[in-house]
Amino acid sequence: MSIPISTLGTPRIGPRRELKTALEAHWAGKQDEAALLSTAAQLRASNWARQSLLGVTHIPSNDFSLYDQVLDMSAVVGAIPSQYGWEGGPVPLSTYFAMARGRQGHGDQGHEGCGHGGHGGGGIPALEMTKWFDTNYHYMVPEFRRGQAFELASAKPVDEFKEAAALGFHTHPVLIGPVTYLLLGKSKDTDLDPLALLPGLLPVYAEILRKLAAAGADWVQFDEPCLVLDLDERTRKALRQAYDALSSTVSDLKIMVAAYFGGLGDNLELALGLPSAGLHLDLVRAPAQLRQAVERASADKVLSLGVIDGRNVWRSDLTALLDRIEPAVADLGTHRVVLAPSCSLLHVPYDIEAESAFDPELRSWLAFAAQKIGELKTLSTALVDGRRAVSDELARSDAAAAARRVSTRIHDTGVAARMAELTPAMGERQHPYPLRRRAQEWLGLPHFPTTTIGSFPQTGAVRKARADHAKGWIDDADYQRFLRQETAQAIAWQEEIGLDVLVHGEFERNDMVQYFGEQLAGYAFTQHGWVQSYGSRCVRPPIIYGDVSRPQAMTVDWARFAQSLTKRPVKGMLTGPVTMLQWSFVRDDLAREQVCRQIALALRDEVGDLEQAGIRIIQIDEPAIREGLPLRHAEKEAYLTWAVACFRLAASGVDDATQIHTHMCYSEFNDIIHAVGGLDADVISIETARSRMELLDAFRAYRYPNEIGPGVYDIHSPRCPTVAEMRDLLARARERIAGDQLWVNPDCGLKTRSWDEVRPALVNMVAAARILREETVSARVATPA
Ligand code: GLN
Ligand code: ZN
């Protein structure tokens, strides 16, 4: 007798990103479909074998995906919008990839930039893409239409179950639950409510269950993370209806409903009441719900205890965990328990063993997917055979936990002292915005000042020089010379085309978080710690392991150099504290809010040094503020309050006459506009080109008082916007925002574009601003006050 171990899902990109390589080769036409599918099959086989070897008993299948598991589900149920030209039958791979990436008209117009689907003229756009709950994983949004019909159009779940069986692995297929699947979808028919499609969808799910049962499956996992959200009565009803239908479809096929990314809260009763054989609980985000669930679960319900953090990279304190779960397991009986990570291991890297160059002390505190499975195995053995059976493992875990608690690598008394001295005044500028505005007049900017968001094209030459430098092929001096040359050219060109506020171009930066993290104390970087962001895109989030501080200035030399080349103001460029936090794995022994404050303090020093160096316009990018929003409404305000406070701590140490900018790029401001106002940046630039300025409605309704640069150039598209187009967009902006509040800039940084695309676009942008200035002057002459 042992306690089963489940993983809910595993990383699938490959330990060396083999899937990325194969996908990109296939998309580039260098590898045929068969070669891609063979790589995919190998990755699945090794995932199953690895888990089996590590002791996983409930090995998942259908957790693999060539692009995204939500897109897979759309293919399975035949929810394929008409523009992709599908005419029934098995969904061809080319159709699947068209939904993922668009069908190109000309040039590669796939997804890029800061996480948005991009498409230019011609071709068929991809499905919309957005973040999977509060993770950095992106899924393809299902698109439904009026009269949407569903049919089993891909047998992937059944095929992969059989594929595993043929290799000797009995697996638990994983499917996105029907209610979560529908809730994630959207329709262009605005009056269509996705939940109304449930009755039509359930028969397809039932058909899959019958096929899986016939193939020999005994458990199926339905992921219903919607259970951790605020749900209305309709959604609750839909959940009951769905699982009433599905649990009676095949009598001996058991269903595990998986709820993760938070506590069930007021949905606990509902979740426990669903007629499923099992319920998975996230006991990392919501440890307290274990007691309640044990007390209220019916006597035959299996509980899957998500006790190992599937969202973070820290080693668990196994003794402390056992103290917590032993009583619950005793109450339930081992036959009613499964041990699992809090959520699928998709969100952590494969194996810490791959990090041969990693600092050994830090490494001893970490657990990636492979190590997490080892922890589950230790817990399982301890719960059945007693702690003595795993005394070595527990001793190692105790030692790591104890060492980490007192390590001087983590606890910096200097940081603690500064944190203790924080005052509310440090979050306030000297004077309110109207006075600052006057103090900033010395900058001498024209009406409708023009600027860019920071980065200029990261050309092949720039990337090659960086790689060659990293490999030691070119020395520091040569590399610096190269970067100076790029920067100088960028400054000269910006002057030449008449931009008002210049940027240095960010050629020295590999990534907007990594560049800063590498220079801050308390941050560590892996070599192979990739996690999937979307499709073939992976990120290697830095690990914040200790108190964060700034040993020395990070950007001042580059800013000073750029400013020395021109009389026009050069904008200093920093990544904000919330974004630095949000795009990292964060230590779990200190509240996120406190970690963010430490980063903010380090950035505040940088802002001060820039100002001292004569940089009087400083931009602090916060593209990630919105995605940090908690899933539950009741927790949102508390988050926004500290996020805003951290930004202000970073930004407020400067003189009134120094202008602070911020930048955000996404398409939803309504629910956070008060927080955006609360940042009190002198100028904010946002992404508005594709929404044709409709985003500004939120700013108008809020009566946003400071200056705004609504993007007039959609940088996700290779298309060059014309002067007339941008002038028209600015006219639309002026209908919403007073002219003297407006700046003129692109939607986002230009690093993903080529100079051939950027040059004419920015020339046109400057021309559009000039026309606007002339029109304003003549309007004033025509209608004297
Ligand atoms: N300053 C950054 C850049 O221009 C901003 C990037 C972003 O918003 N994601 O690249
Ligand atoms: Zn941006």
Side-chain angles (χ1 to χ4, degrees), residues 91-161:
V91 181
L93 201 58
S94 57
T95 307
Y96 177 86
F97 285 138
M99 290 162 77
R101 316 177 60 235
R103 210 166 254 147
Q104 266 82 70
H106 45 75
D108 184 342
Q109 301 161 13
H111 294 296
E112 55 187 56
C114 16
H116 301 278
H119 50 86
I124 301 165
L127 288 176
E128 196 183 320
M129 178 169 71
T130 194
K131 296 212 174 217
W132 174 243
F133 294 82
D134 60 357
T135 71
N136 277 333
Y137 176 82
H138 302 71
Y139 69 92
M140 306 308 301
V141 178
E143 189 181 308
F144 305 126
R145 58 179 170 273
R146 214 191 313 278
Q148 176 74 48
F150 298 102
E151 66 176 89
L152 190 58
S154 152
K156 177 178 182 286
V158 186
D159 292 345
E160 289 185 9
F161 177 82

Coordinates of all heavy atoms in Angstrom, one line a residue, residues 91-161:
V91 N -8.5 17.6 -37.7 CA -7.9 19.0 -37.9 C -6.5 18.8 -38.4 O -5.6 18.3 -37.7 CB -8.0 19.8 -36.6 CG1 -7.5 21.2 -36.8 CG2 -9.4 19.8 -36.1
P92 N -6.2 19.3 -39.6 CA -4.8 19.3 -40.1 C -3.9 20.1 -39.3 O -4.3 21.1 -38.7 CB -4.9 19.8 -41.5 CG -6.3 19.9 -41.9 CD -7.1 20.0 -40.6
L93 N -2.6 19.7 -39.2 CA -1.6 20.5 -38.4 C -1.5 21.9 -38.9 O -1.3 22.8 -38.2 CB -0.3 19.7 -38.5 CG 0.7 20.0 -37.4 CD1 0.2 19.7 -36.0 CD2 2.0 19.2 -37.7
S94 N -1.7 22.1 -40.2 CA -1.5 23.4 -40.8 C -2.7 24.3 -40.3 O -2.5 25.5 -40.0 CB -1.5 23.4 -42.3 OG -2.7 22.7 -42.8
T95 N -3.8 23.7 -40.1 CA -5.0 24.5 -39.6 C -4.7 24.9 -38.1 O -4.9 26.0 -37.7 CB -6.3 23.7 -39.7 OG1 -6.4 23.3 -41.0 CG2 -7.5 24.5 -39.3
Y96 N -4.2 23.9 -37.4 CA -3.9 24.1 -36.0 C -2.9 25.2 -35.8 O -3.1 26.1 -35.0 CB -3.3 22.8 -35.4 CG -2.8 22.8 -34.0 CD1 -3.7 22.5 -32.9 CD2 -1.5 23.0 -33.7 CE1 -3.3 22.5 -31.6 CE2 -1.0 23.0 -32.4 CZ -1.9 22.7 -31.3 OH -1.5 22.7 -30.1
F97 N -1.8 25.2 -36.6 CA -0.8 26.2 -36.5 C -1.3 27.6 -37.0 O -0.9 28.6 -36.6 CB 0.5 25.8 -37.2 CG 1.3 24.8 -36.4 CD1 1.9 23.8 -37.1 CD2 1.4 24.9 -35.1 CE1 2.7 22.8 -36.4 CE2 2.2 24.0 -34.3 CZ 2.8 23.0 -35.0
A98 N -2.2 27.5 -38.0 CA -2.8 28.8 -38.5 C -3.6 29.5 -37.3 O -3.5 30.7 -37.1 CB -3.8 28.6 -39.6
M99 N -4.3 28.7 -36.5 CA -5.0 29.2 -35.4 C -4.0 29.8 -34.3 O -4.3 30.8 -33.7 CB -5.9 28.2 -34.7 CG -7.1 27.8 -35.5 SD -7.8 26.2 -35.0 CE -8.7 26.6 -33.5
A100 N -2.9 29.1 -34.2 CA -1.9 29.5 -33.2 C -1.1 30.8 -33.7 O -0.8 31.6 -32.8 CB -0.9 28.4 -33.0
R101 N -0.8 30.9 -34.9 CA 0.2 31.9 -35.4 C -0.3 32.7 -36.5 O 0.4 33.7 -36.9 CB 1.5 31.2 -35.8 CG 1.9 30.1 -34.9 CD 3.2 29.4 -35.4 NE 4.3 30.3 -35.6 CZ 4.9 30.5 -36.7 NH1 4.6 29.8 -37.8 NH2 5.9 31.3 -36.7
G102 N -1.5 32.5 -37.0 CA -2.0 33.2 -38.1 C -1.4 32.6 -39.4 O -0.5 31.8 -39.4
R103 N -2.1 32.9 -40.5 CA -1.6 32.4 -41.8 C -1.0 33.6 -42.4 O -1.6 34.6 -42.6 CB -2.8 31.8 -42.6 CG -2.3 30.7 -43.5 CD -3.5 30.0 -44.1 NE -3.7 28.7 -43.5 CZ -4.8 28.1 -43.3 NH1 -5.9 28.7 -43.6 NH2 -4.9 26.9 -42.8
Q104 N 0.3 33.5 -42.7 CA 1.0 34.7 -43.1 C 0.7 35.2 -44.5 O 0.6 34.4 -45.4 CB 2.5 34.5 -43.0 CG 3.1 34.9 -41.7 CD 2.9 33.9 -40.6 OE1 3.5 32.9 -40.6 NE2 2.1 34.2 -39.6
G105 N 0.4 36.5 -44.6 CA 0.2 37.1 -45.9 C 1.6 37.4 -46.5 O 1.9 36.9 -47.5
H106 N 2.4 38.1 -45.7 CA 3.8 38.4 -46.1 C 4.6 38.6 -44.9 O 4.2 39.2 -43.9 CB 3.9 39.6 -47.1 CG 3.1 40.8 -46.6 ND1 3.5 41.6 -45.5 CD2 1.9 41.2 -46.9 CE1 2.6 42.5 -45.3 NE2 1.6 42.3 -46.1
G107 N 5.8 38.1 -44.9 CA 6.7 38.3 -43.7 C 6.2 37.5 -42.6 O 5.1 37.0 -42.6
D108 N 7.0 37.3 -41.6 CA 6.6 36.6 -40.4 C 5.9 37.5 -39.5 O 6.4 38.5 -39.0 CB 7.8 36.0 -39.6 CG 7.3 35.1 -38.5 OD1 6.2 35.3 -38.1 OD2 8.1 34.3 -38.0
Q109 N 4.6 37.3 -39.3 CA 3.8 38.2 -38.5 C 3.3 37.4 -37.3 O 2.2 37.7 -36.8 CB 2.7 38.8 -39.3 CG 3.2 39.6 -40.5 CD 2.2 39.8 -41.5 OE1 1.0 39.6 -41.3 NE2 2.6 40.2 -42.7
G110 N 4.0 36.4 -36.8 CA 3.6 35.7 -35.7 C 3.6 36.5 -34.4 O 3.8 37.7 -34.5
H111 N 3.3 35.9 -33.3 CA 3.2 36.7 -32.0 C 4.6 37.1 -31.6 O 5.6 36.4 -31.7 CB 2.7 35.7 -30.9 CG 1.3 35.4 -31.2 ND1 0.3 36.3 -31.2 CD2 0.7 34.2 -31.4 CE1 -0.8 35.7 -31.4 NE2 -0.6 34.4 -31.5
E112 N 4.7 38.3 -31.2 CA 6.0 38.8 -30.7 C 5.8 40.0 -29.8 O 4.7 40.4 -29.6 CB 6.9 39.1 -31.8 CG 6.3 40.1 -32.8 CD 7.1 40.3 -34.0 OE1 7.5 39.3 -34.7 OE2 7.5 41.4 -34.3
G113 N 6.9 40.5 -29.3 CA 6.8 41.7 -28.5 C 6.3 41.4 -27.1 O 6.6 40.4 -26.6
C114 N 5.5 42.3 -26.5 CA 5.1 42.1 -25.1 C 3.9 41.2 -25.0 O 3.0 41.6 -24.2 CB 5.1 43.4 -24.4 SG 5.0 44.8 -25.4
G115 N 3.8 40.2 -25.7 CA 2.8 39.2 -25.4 C 1.4 39.4 -26.0 O 0.4 39.2 -25.5
H116 N 1.5 39.9 -27.2 CA 0.2 40.1 -27.9 C 0.2 39.5 -29.3 O 1.3 39.4 -29.9 CB -0.1 41.6 -28.1 CG -0.1 42.3 -26.8 ND1 -1.2 42.3 -26.0 CD2 0.8 43.0 -26.1 CE1 -1.0 43.0 -24.9 NE2 0.3 43.4 -25.0
G117 N -0.9 39.1 -29.7 CA -1.0 38.5 -31.1 C -0.8 39.6 -32.1 O -1.5 40.7 -32.0
G118 N 0.1 39.4 -33.0 CA 0.3 40.5 -34.0 C -0.1 40.1 -35.4 O 0.1 38.9 -35.8
H119 N -0.6 40.9 -36.2 CA -0.8 40.6 -37.6 C -0.9 41.9 -38.4 O -1.4 42.9 -37.9 CB -2.1 39.8 -37.7 CG -3.3 40.4 -37.0 ND1 -4.1 41.4 -37.6 CD2 -3.8 40.2 -35.8 CE1 -5.0 41.7 -36.8 NE2 -4.9 41.1 -35.7
G120 N -0.3 41.9 -39.5 CA -0.4 43.0 -40.4 C -1.3 42.8 -41.5 O -2.3 42.1 -41.4
G121 N -1.1 43.5 -42.6 CA -2.0 43.4 -43.7 C -1.9 42.0 -44.4 O -0.8 41.3 -44.3
G122 N -2.9 41.5 -45.0 CA -2.9 40.2 -45.7 C -2.9 39.1 -44.7 O -2.8 39.3 -43.5
G123 N -3.1 37.9 -45.2 CA -3.1 36.7 -44.3 C -4.3 36.7 -43.4 O -5.2 37.5 -43.4
I124 N -4.3 35.6 -42.5 CA -5.4 35.5 -41.5 C -4.8 35.5 -40.1 O -3.8 34.8 -39.9 CB -6.0 34.1 -41.7 CG1 -6.6 34.0 -43.1 CG2 -7.1 33.9 -40.7 CD1 -6.9 32.5 -43.5
P125 N -5.3 36.4 -39.3 CA -4.7 36.6 -38.0 C -4.9 35.3 -37.1 O -5.8 34.5 -37.3 CB -5.5 37.7 -37.4 CG -6.7 37.9 -38.2 CD -6.4 37.3 -39.5
A126 N -4.0 35.2 -36.2 CA -4.1 34.1 -35.2 C -5.2 34.3 -34.3 O -5.8 35.5 -34.2 CB -2.8 34.0 -34.4
L127 N -5.6 33.3 -33.5 CA -6.6 33.5 -32.4 C -5.9 34.5 -31.4 O -4.7 34.6 -31.4 CB -6.9 32.2 -31.7 CG -7.7 31.2 -32.4 CD1 -7.8 29.9 -31.6 CD2 -9.1 31.7 -32.7
E128 N -6.8 35.1 -30.7 CA -6.2 36.0 -29.6 C -5.5 35.2 -28.6 O -5.8 34.0 -28.4 CB -7.5 36.7 -29.0 CG -7.1 37.9 -28.2 CD -8.4 38.5 -27.5 OE1 -9.5 38.5 -28.2 OE2 -8.3 38.9 -26.4
M129 N -4.5 35.8 -28.0 CA -3.8 35.1 -27.0 C -3.8 35.9 -25.7 O -3.7 37.1 -25.7 CB -2.3 35.0 -27.5 CG -1.4 34.3 -26.6 SD 0.2 33.9 -27.4 CE 0.9 35.5 -27.5
T130 N -3.9 35.2 -24.6 CA -3.9 35.9 -23.3 C -3.3 35.0 -22.2 O -3.1 33.8 -22.4 CB -5.3 36.5 -23.0 OG1 -5.1 37.4 -21.9 CG2 -6.2 35.4 -22.5
K131 N -3.1 35.6 -21.0 CA -2.4 34.9 -19.9 C -3.4 33.9 -19.3 O -4.5 34.2 -19.1 CB -1.9 35.9 -18.9 CG -0.9 36.7 -19.5 CD 0.2 37.2 -18.5 CE 1.2 37.9 -19.3 NZ 2.6 37.7 -18.9
W132 N -2.8 32.8 -19.0 CA -3.5 31.7 -18.3 C -3.6 32.0 -16.8 O -2.6 32.0 -16.1 CB -2.7 30.4 -18.6 CG -3.0 29.1 -18.0 CD1 -2.2 28.4 -17.1 CD2 -4.2 28.3 -18.2 NE1 -2.8 27.2 -16.8 CE2 -4.0 27.1 -17.4 CE3 -5.4 28.4 -18.9 CZ2 -5.0 26.1 -17.3 CZ3 -6.3 27.4 -18.9 CH2 -6.1 26.3 -18.1
F133 N -4.7 32.4 -16.4 CA -5.0 32.8 -15.0 C -3.9 33.8 -14.6 O -3.6 34.7 -15.3 CB -5.1 31.5 -14.1 CG -6.4 30.8 -14.5 CD1 -6.4 29.9 -15.6 CD2 -7.6 31.1 -13.8 CE1 -7.6 29.3 -16.0 CE2 -8.8 30.5 -14.2 CZ -8.8 29.6 -15.3
D134 N -3.2 33.5 -13.4 CA -2.2 34.5 -13.0 C -0.8 34.0 -13.3 O 0.1 34.4 -12.6 CB -2.4 34.9 -11.5 CG -2.3 33.7 -10.6 OD1 -2.1 32.6 -11.1 OD2 -2.3 33.9 -9.4
T135 N -0.7 33.2 -14.3 CA 0.7 32.8 -14.7 C 1.2 33.6 -15.8 O 0.6 34.4 -16.4 CB 0.6 31.3 -15.2 OG1 0.0 31.3 -16.5 CG2 -0.1 30.4 -14.3
N136 N 2.5 33.3 -16.2 CA 3.1 33.9 -17.4 C 3.0 33.0 -18.6 O 3.6 33.3 -19.6 CB 4.6 34.3 -17.2 CG 4.7 35.6 -16.4 OD1 3.8 36.4 -16.6 ND2 5.7 35.7 -15.7
Y137 N 2.2 32.0 -18.5 CA 1.9 31.1 -19.6 C 0.7 31.7 -20.4 O -0.3 32.3 -19.8 CB 1.5 29.7 -19.2 CG 1.1 28.8 -20.3 CD1 2.0 28.2 -21.1 CD2 -0.3 28.6 -20.6 CE1 1.7 27.4 -22.2 CE2 -0.6 27.9 -21.7 CZ 0.3 27.2 -22.5 OH 0.0 26.5 -23.5
H138 N 0.8 31.7 -21.7 CA -0.3 32.3 -22.6 C -1.1 31.2 -23.3 O -0.5 30.3 -23.8 CB 0.2 33.2 -23.6 CG 1.0 34.4 -23.0 ND1 2.3 34.2 -22.5 CD2 0.8 35.7 -23.0 CE1 2.7 35.3 -22.1 NE2 1.9 36.3 -22.3
Y139 N -2.4 31.3 -23.4 CA -3.2 30.4 -24.1 C -3.9 31.1 -25.2 O -4.0 32.3 -25.3 CB -4.2 29.7 -23.2 CG -5.3 30.6 -22.7 CD1 -6.5 30.7 -23.4 CD2 -5.1 31.3 -21.6 CE1 -7.5 31.5 -23.0 CE2 -6.1 32.2 -21.1 CZ -7.3 32.2 -21.8 OH -8.3 33.1 -21.4
M140 N -4.3 30.2 -26.2 CA -5.0 30.8 -27.4 C -6.5 30.8 -27.0 O -7.1 29.8 -26.7 CB -4.8 29.9 -28.6 CG -3.4 29.6 -28.9 SD -2.4 31.1 -29.1 CE -3.3 32.0 -30.4
V141 N -7.1 32.0 -27.0 CA -8.5 32.2 -26.6 C -9.4 31.5 -27.6 O -9.4 31.8 -28.8 CB -8.8 33.7 -26.5 CG1 -10.3 33.9 -26.1 CG2 -7.9 34.4 -25.6
P142 N -10.3 30.5 -27.1 CA -11.2 29.9 -28.0 C -12.2 31.0 -28.6 O -12.6 31.9 -27.9 CB -12.0 28.9 -27.1 CG -11.1 28.7 -25.9 CD -10.3 30.0 -25.7
E143 N -12.5 30.8 -29.8 CA -13.4 31.8 -30.4 C -14.7 31.1 -30.9 O -14.7 30.2 -31.7 CB -12.7 32.4 -31.6 CG -13.4 33.6 -32.3 CD -12.7 34.1 -33.5 OE1 -11.5 34.4 -33.3 OE2 -13.3 34.3 -34.5
F144 N -15.8 31.5 -30.3 CA -17.1 30.8 -30.6 C -17.9 31.8 -31.5 O -17.8 33.0 -31.5 CB -17.8 30.5 -29.3 CG -17.0 29.7 -28.3 CD1 -16.8 30.1 -27.0 CD2 -16.4 28.5 -28.7 CE1 -16.1 29.4 -26.1 CE2 -15.7 27.7 -27.9 CZ -15.5 28.2 -26.5
R145 N -18.9 31.2 -32.2 CA -19.8 32.0 -33.0 C -21.3 31.6 -32.6 O -21.5 30.5 -32.0 CB -19.6 31.8 -34.4 CG -19.7 30.3 -34.9 CD -19.5 30.1 -36.4 NE -19.4 28.7 -36.7 CZ -18.3 28.0 -36.7 NH1 -17.2 28.6 -36.3 NH2 -18.3 26.7 -37.0
R146 N -22.2 32.4 -33.0 CA -23.6 32.1 -32.8 C -23.9 30.7 -33.5 O -23.4 30.5 -34.6 CB -24.5 33.2 -33.4 CG -25.7 33.4 -32.6 CD -26.7 34.3 -33.4 NE -26.0 35.5 -34.0 CZ -25.8 36.6 -33.3 NH1 -26.1 36.7 -32.1 NH2 -25.2 37.6 -33.9
G147 N -24.6 29.9 -32.8 CA -24.9 28.6 -33.4 C -23.8 27.7 -33.4 O -23.7 26.7 -34.2
Q148 N -22.7 28.0 -32.6 CA -21.5 27.1 -32.5 C -21.9 25.7 -32.3 O -22.6 25.3 -31.3 CB -20.7 27.6 -31.4 CG -19.4 26.8 -31.1 CD -18.3 27.0 -32.2 OE1 -18.0 28.2 -32.5 NE2 -17.8 25.9 -32.7
A149 N -21.4 24.8 -33.2 CA -21.6 23.4 -33.0 C -20.3 22.8 -32.6 O -19.3 23.3 -32.9 CB -22.2 22.7 -34.3
F150 N -20.3 21.7 -31.8 CA -19.1 21.0 -31.5 C -19.1 19.5 -32.0 O -20.2 18.9 -32.1 CB -19.0 20.9 -29.9 CG -18.9 22.3 -29.3 CD1 -20.0 22.9 -28.7 CD2 -17.7 23.0 -29.4 CE1 -19.9 24.1 -28.1 CE2 -17.6 24.3 -28.8 CZ -18.7 24.8 -28.2
E151 N -18.0 19.0 -32.3 CA -17.9 17.6 -32.7 C -16.5 17.1 -32.4 O -15.5 17.9 -32.4 CB -18.2 17.5 -34.2 CG -17.1 18.1 -35.1 CD -17.4 17.9 -36.6 OE1 -18.1 18.7 -37.2 OE2 -16.8 16.9 -37.1
L152 N -16.4 15.9 -32.2 CA -15.0 15.3 -31.9 C -14.2 15.4 -33.2 O -14.4 14.7 -34.1 CB -15.2 13.9 -31.4 CG -13.9 13.3 -30.8 CD1 -13.4 14.1 -29.7 CD2 -14.1 11.9 -30.4
A153 N -13.2 16.4 -33.2 CA -12.5 16.6 -34.4 C -11.0 16.2 -34.3 O -10.3 16.3 -35.2 CB -12.6 18.1 -34.8
S154 N -10.6 15.8 -33.1 CA -9.2 15.4 -32.9 C -9.3 14.3 -31.8 O -9.9 14.6 -30.8 CB -8.3 16.5 -32.6 OG -7.2 16.1 -31.8
A155 N -8.6 13.2 -32.0 CA -8.7 12.2 -31.0 C -7.4 12.2 -30.1 O -7.0 11.2 -29.5 CB -8.8 10.8 -31.7
K156 N -6.8 13.4 -30.1 CA -5.5 13.5 -29.4 C -5.5 12.9 -28.0 O -4.6 12.1 -27.7 CB -5.1 15.0 -29.3 CG -3.8 15.3 -28.5 CD -3.5 16.7 -28.6 CE -2.2 17.0 -27.8 NZ -2.3 17.0 -26.4
P157 N -6.5 13.2 -27.1 CA -6.5 12.6 -25.8 C -6.4 11.0 -25.8 O -5.7 10.4 -25.0 CB -7.7 13.1 -25.1 CG -8.2 14.2 -25.9 CD -7.7 14.0 -27.3
V158 N -7.2 10.5 -26.7 CA -7.3 9.0 -26.8 C -6.0 8.5 -27.5 O -5.4 7.5 -27.0 CB -8.5 8.6 -27.7 CG1 -8.7 7.1 -27.6 CG2 -9.8 9.3 -27.1
D159 N -5.5 9.1 -28.5 CA -4.3 8.7 -29.2 C -3.1 8.7 -28.2 O -2.3 7.7 -28.2 CB -4.0 9.6 -30.4 CG -5.0 9.5 -31.5 OD1 -5.8 8.5 -31.5 OD2 -5.0 10.4 -32.4
E160 N -3.0 9.7 -27.4 CA -1.8 9.8 -26.5 C -2.0 8.8 -25.4 O -0.9 8.3 -24.9 CB -1.6 11.3 -26.0 CG -1.1 12.1 -27.2 CD -0.8 13.6 -26.8 OE1 -0.7 13.9 -25.6 OE2 -0.5 14.3 -27.8
F161 N -3.2 8.5 -25.0 CA -3.4 7.5 -23.9 C -2.9 6.2 -24.5 O -2.1 5.4 -23.8 CB -4.8 7.4 -23.5 CG -5.1 6.3 -22.5 CD1 -4.8 6.5 -21.2 CD2 -5.5 5.1 -22.9 CE1 -5.0 5.5 -20.2 CE2 -5.7 4.0 -22.0 CZ -5.5 4.2 -20.7

